Amino acid sequence: MSRENISIIGFPMDLGSGRRGVDMGPSALRIANLERRLRNLGYNVEDLGDIKIKIMEKQKVGDPKLRYLNEVLKTSLVLAKTVEKVLDKGNFPLCIGGDHSMAIGTIAGIAAHCRKYKKSLGVIWIDAHADMNTHETTPSGNIHGMPLAASMGLGHPSLVNFYGFKPKVKPEHCALIGIRSVDKEERKNIRKLNPTVFTMSDIDKLGIHRVISRVLKQFRQQVDHIHISFDVDSVDPSVAPGVGTPVKGGLSYRESHLLMETIAECGCMSSLEIAEVNPILDTHNTSAIFASELVASSMGQRIL
């Protein structure tokens, strides 16, 4: 697979979250010169535009424990097919959202590609939240709190069996970084599946460089395709205020960049998604600019 050719896929989804505005995340990232930053690093970039998603006002909520499930599944199917096609072509998929329910589609498309080419998949989930609720444990019914559990095979059958196979990724091939907000019942799901988890307390004690280096070393020995799923709320709200579910005590500006720079140095990232940029809650597009800079760091931008 060539990292020289990047395909940007917009997924303006807000149905998985409880707040409006995150559907404008892809536009905000484009306004923040995402494409130009990547071109300046020497990449060929094609923007495939946005996958069409009906607005909330034209939808039925449906099951209150799985809000807007039908539209989430329908649009995730388009996303999964697009991601799979990009990878099959040998290009690098860069998915921009949108709430984190987008990971249902991105991970399914990547996993299908990996199955086809007999590769093993590893997912590094950088987020304030574990996103490991199910319809039985969710306090809100918002599907953006469920994608990682579903991808690992836990949750409602329609999410778990999405795209025709399960699990998309083995729990031992998942690592969560930056976690600091976990629902009470969700903890049981984490213990049951038992992925590698580095909370913000772990990062405080060990340092972000040691944490990501440890994860990358483990993954390079175990998997062929490393997918990075980056929720901008993993970063402290003082740095990135424009996110759907801000939680104090997150990654600092430099920790975030060092994390992405270390991933770039590894040269082992094969796909990337950026989720939960919400320009309505932002100040002068600060969070989208920061997120686009992080993408550039993950793709090789350096201070010197």
Side-chain angles (χ1 to χ4, degrees):
M1 190 201 72
S2 167
R3 276 172 49 113
E4 274 65 60
N5 300 310
I6 297 172
S7 299
I8 296 173
I9 306 160
F11 196 63
M13 170 64 78
D14 69 351
L15 301 175
S17 71
R19 292 175 108 163
R20 303 304 310 271
V22 75
D23 56 319
M24 294 189 287
S27 296
L29 283 159
R30 289 184 176 101
I31 290 164
N33 295 317
L34 178 62
E35 186 173 336
R36 192 180 76 200
R37 291 178 202 277
L38 294 170
R39 288 191 190 281
N40 287 345
L41 290 169
Y43 293 99
N44 303 312
V45 185
E46 59 167 351
D47 191 334
L48 301 179
D50 286 347
I51 285 161
K52 296 206 166 20
I53 298 166
K54 282 186 189 173
I55 59 169
M56 209 175 268
E57 288 75 13
K58 294 192 173 179
Q59 300 292 316
K60 287 185 177 153
V61 173
D63 185 342
K65 290 287 187 181
L66 291 156
R67 293 164 54 84
Y68 304 105
L69 174 65
N70 289 341
E71 184 71 5
V72 168
L73 289 172
K74 185 175 141 192
T75 52
S76 293
L77 183 61
V78 181
L79 178 59
K81 286 179 177 175
T82 307
V83 169
E84 185 180 1
K85 194 185 290 182
V86 165
L87 284 168
D88 288 351
K89 257 173 67 177
N91 289 2
F92 182 99
L94 170 55
C95 302
I96 55 174
D99 70 60
H100 219 161
S101 66
M102 72 187 288
I104 294 164
T106 53
I107 292 175
I110 296 162
H113 166 81
C114 288
R115 275 163 64 97
K116 207 183 302 178
Y117 292 93
K118 296 192 168 41
K119 296 178 184 174
S120 54
L121 170 61
V123 173
I124 300 177
W125 192 269
I126 304 162
D127 199 330
H129 309 87
D131 291 349
M132 286 179 62
N133 269 302
T134 68
H135 58 296
E136 293 171 326
T137 64
T138 175
S140 66
N142 293 329
I143 292 175
H144 75 160
M146 306 179 191
L148 190 55
S151 297
M152 287 191 268
L154 186 66
H156 193 271
S158 64
L159 294 175
V160 168
N161 299 311
F162 172 74
Y163 220 45
F165 63 97
K166 65 177 183 182
K168 311 301 186 293
V169 59
K170 294 176 181 174
E172 60 267 30
H173 293 162
C174 282
L176 290 73
I177 296 175
I179 307 303
R180 60 191 185 278
S181 176
V182 180
D183 296 315
K184 188 180 174 186
E185 294 299 310
E186 186 182 19
R187 285 193 179 95
K188 295 174 186 173
N189 297 338
I190 295 170
R191 289 192 196 106
K192 184 176 180 179
L193 290 168
N194 198 31
T196 299
V197 181
F198 290 97
T199 66
M200 279 309 302
S201 296
D202 297 321
I203 291 167
D204 290 340
K205 291 169 192 167
L206 297 169
I208 192 63
H209 187 262
R210 189 177 296 172
V211 166
I212 188 60
S213 297
R214 193 179 289 181
V215 170
L216 290 171
K217 184 181 178 185
Q218 176 195 331
F219 274 30
R220 287 186 84 168
Q221 292 166 350
Q222 295 176 348
V223 302
D224 309 301
H225 182 117
I226 295 177
H227 173 61
I228 308 292
S229 189
F230 193 102
D231 187 320
V232 183
D233 74 21
S234 62
V235 182
D236 195 78
S238 62
V239 179
V243 297
T245 44
V247 185
K248 286 180 181 177
L251 296 168
S252 70
Y253 181 92
R254 273 309 309 156
E255 281 175 328
S256 308
H257 275 286
L258 181 58
L259 173 63
M260 295 309 243
E261 287 163 8
T262 309
I263 288 167
E265 281 166 14
C266 172
C268 52
M269 175 176 68
S270 298
S271 51
L272 172 65
E273 65 186 330
I274 300 287
E276 299 283 355
V277 171
N278 190 331
I280 283 181
L281 303 171
D282 208 2
T283 311
H284 305 301
N285 215 30
T286 304
S287 304
I289 292 166
F290 172 70
S292 68
E293 289 169 349
L294 282 183
V295 173
S297 284
S298 76
M299 291 291 185
Q301 185 163 293
R302 288 287 167 275
I303 294 166
L304 289 175

